[in-house]
């Protein structure tokens, strides 16, 4: 896996602080996994954007993925393939960052995610999970 370190933008860090407060989930990596999967569930690819790595929130892939590293990596590869993107390391790393940041934005902006139950409802395909 080409991604060794993950550093978030300041905006994403601030959004994660809000999500931590709402959901009471205290670990960045857990919220980031939810966000990554939330973005992957959207049918359209994330828009191309330059995402700055300008915050103090940093983790390794192993910390981000936990015991699910192979599965999350396979999901990213499958999504890139489905979106017609090359599967080289640079593209995969860029798409990972775009999905992660888009997912964080989706979760923090979802009116259902006011607590952990709302987060689970979105994951299960509740009304706001479109």
């Amino acid at each position: 896996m080409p991604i060794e370190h993950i550093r978030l933008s300041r905006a994403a860090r601030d959004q994660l602080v809000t999500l931590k407060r709402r959901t009471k989930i205290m670990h960045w990596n857990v919220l980031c996994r939810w966000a990554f999967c939330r973005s992957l569930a959207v049918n359209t690819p994330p828009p191309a954007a330059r995402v700055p790595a300008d915050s103090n929130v940093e983790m390794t892939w192993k910390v981000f993925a936990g015991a699910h590293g192979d599965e999350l990596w396979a999901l990213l590869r499958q999504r890139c393939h489905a979106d017609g993107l090359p599967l080289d390391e640079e593209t995969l790393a860029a798409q990972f960052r775009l999905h992660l940041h888009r997912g964080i934005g989706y979760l923090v902006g979802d009116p259902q995610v006011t607590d952990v139950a709302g987060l689970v409802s979105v994951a299960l395909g509740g009304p706001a999970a479109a």
Side-chain angles (χ1 to χ4, degrees):
M1 286 166 235
I3 301 171
E4 291 185 29
H5 286 58
I6 301 157
R7 179 172 261 179
L8 299 175
S9 68
R10 281 189 203 163
R13 184 196 67 82
D14 294 345
Q15 291 170 329
L16 284 172
V17 168
T18 298
L19 286 169
K20 285 173 76 171
R21 187 177 61 251
R22 287 182 192 166
T23 64
K24 309 296 187 250
I25 296 172
M26 292 294 112
H27 299 285
W28 303 109
N29 61 324
V30 173
L31 288 168
C32 285
R33 269 182 257 161
W34 282 88
F36 177 66
C37 291
R38 175 66 184 98
S39 179
L40 289 177
V42 176
N43 290 331
T44 59
R50 186 175 178 277
V51 180
D54 58 356
S55 80
N56 61 347
V57 177
E58 184 175 358
M59 66 192 90
T60 64
W61 173 263
K62 189 172 182 174
V63 168
F64 163 76
H68 309 289
D70 291 341
E71 293 87 353
L72 292 170
W73 190 249
L75 287 171
L76 176 63
R77 288 179 55 85
Q78 173 57 37
R79 178 55 190 265
C80 287
H81 174 73
D83 289 342
L85 298 170
L87 300 179
D88 62 276
E89 292 182 4
E90 187 176 322
T91 301
L92 290 166
Q95 287 298 301
F96 172 78
R97 287 185 54 73
L98 291 172
H99 277 289
L100 178 59
H101 282 80
R102 175 173 79 169
I104 292 168
Y106 279 1
L107 291 180
V108 80
D110 192 319
Q112 254 186 293
V113 183
T114 58
D115 55 18
V116 75
L119 185 62
V120 171
S121 178
V122 167
L124 294 175

